[in-house]
Amino acid sequence: MSKGTGNSKKAGKVWLVIIVVLMLAGVIGNVLDENPEFMGGNASGSRLAVLNTDSERLSDLDGIEAQEGYYYYKITIEYYNSGSQAASHYQLMGYFSGKGYDDIYESDRYDSGNPFEEAALGILPAGKSGSIERYIQVKDGVSSIKFEYFDSSSSGRKKTTINL
């Protein structure tokens, strides 16, 4: 066997090892990004996940009926913050959408008459879970809606489906 062939086999093995190492680094990076507490680390910022959602159809909202062709729903959203910082009001409130632009109308009512409610809803400490309640009008015949919320991790926007 010639010396040149031996060197090219060694070079080929070196490149194979480099490629395998880079692939493993990518897989490990994805695992750590999706599971920030893996190996004891936390994601920088807030990292929100919806743990559970619940919907309850209401006959009215404080004595006010929904507009014709719509029903009021109380939507409860339970979050968990696995990040290193508290989540803000803006992140927790998110927004709802349906297949049609007029499937949903949001209400400005929160879950109590407390004038400080908005501020109280606005903080979910790192490592804690909590829930919020929202009241919306949903068009008759709509069976599920989307809820989009934000966190400060690399994943940014997140969506979840809520069955009615």
Side-chain angles (χ1 to χ4, degrees):
M1 178 163 33
S2 75
K3 192 174 188 179
T5 305
N7 285 339
S8 63
K9 282 186 179 183
K10 284 182 186 178
K13 288 180 183 180
V14 169
W15 279 110
L16 180 62
V17 168
I18 290 171
I19 291 170
V20 169
V21 167
L22 290 174
M23 289 174 59
L24 284 174
V27 169
I28 291 170
N30 284 337
V31 167
L32 292 176
D33 186 45
E34 293 300 317
N35 301 296
E37 294 180 1
F38 187 75
M39 296 176 56
N42 277 334
S44 177
S46 60
R47 188 168 182 108
L48 297 174
V50 169
L51 298 176
N52 190 34
T53 61
D54 188 39
S55 65
E56 178 184 350
R57 187 167 152 177
L58 306 173
S59 58
D60 61 43
L61 187 61
D62 293 333
I64 300 171
E65 291 185 20
Q67 60 185 317
E68 189 174 331
Y70 289 79
Y71 293 98
Y72 276 113
Y73 280 85
K74 177 174 96 172
I75 307 292
T76 304
I77 303 164
E78 184 180 357
Y79 286 104
Y80 179 72
N81 182 359
S82 65
S84 61
Q85 298 174 1
S88 71
H89 169 75
Y90 169 74
Q91 293 169 291
L92 298 174
M93 294 311 288
Y95 66 90
F96 298 97
S97 62
K99 289 182 181 175
Y101 75 94
D102 63 344
D103 283 352
I104 298 169
Y105 290 107
E106 294 199 42
S107 169
D108 58 1
R109 182 185 182 278
Y110 294 105
D111 58 350
S112 80
N114 179 352
F116 302 102
E117 186 73 40
E118 190 170 319
L121 284 173
I123 298 174
L124 180 58
K128 300 289 182 184
S129 61
S131 64
I132 62 168
E133 292 179 345
R134 300 277 300 277
Y135 296 87
I136 59 176
Q137 291 185 59
V138 180
K139 195 175 197 177
D140 188 22
V142 173
S143 60
S144 68
I145 57 176
K146 297 282 184 195
F147 178 69
E148 187 167 356
Y149 59 102
F150 306 89
D151 69 16
S152 60
S153 73
S154 63
S155 56
R157 288 191 219 198
K158 296 181 177 182
K159 283 185 183 181
T160 190
T161 300
I162 300 173
N163 294 317
L164 304 175

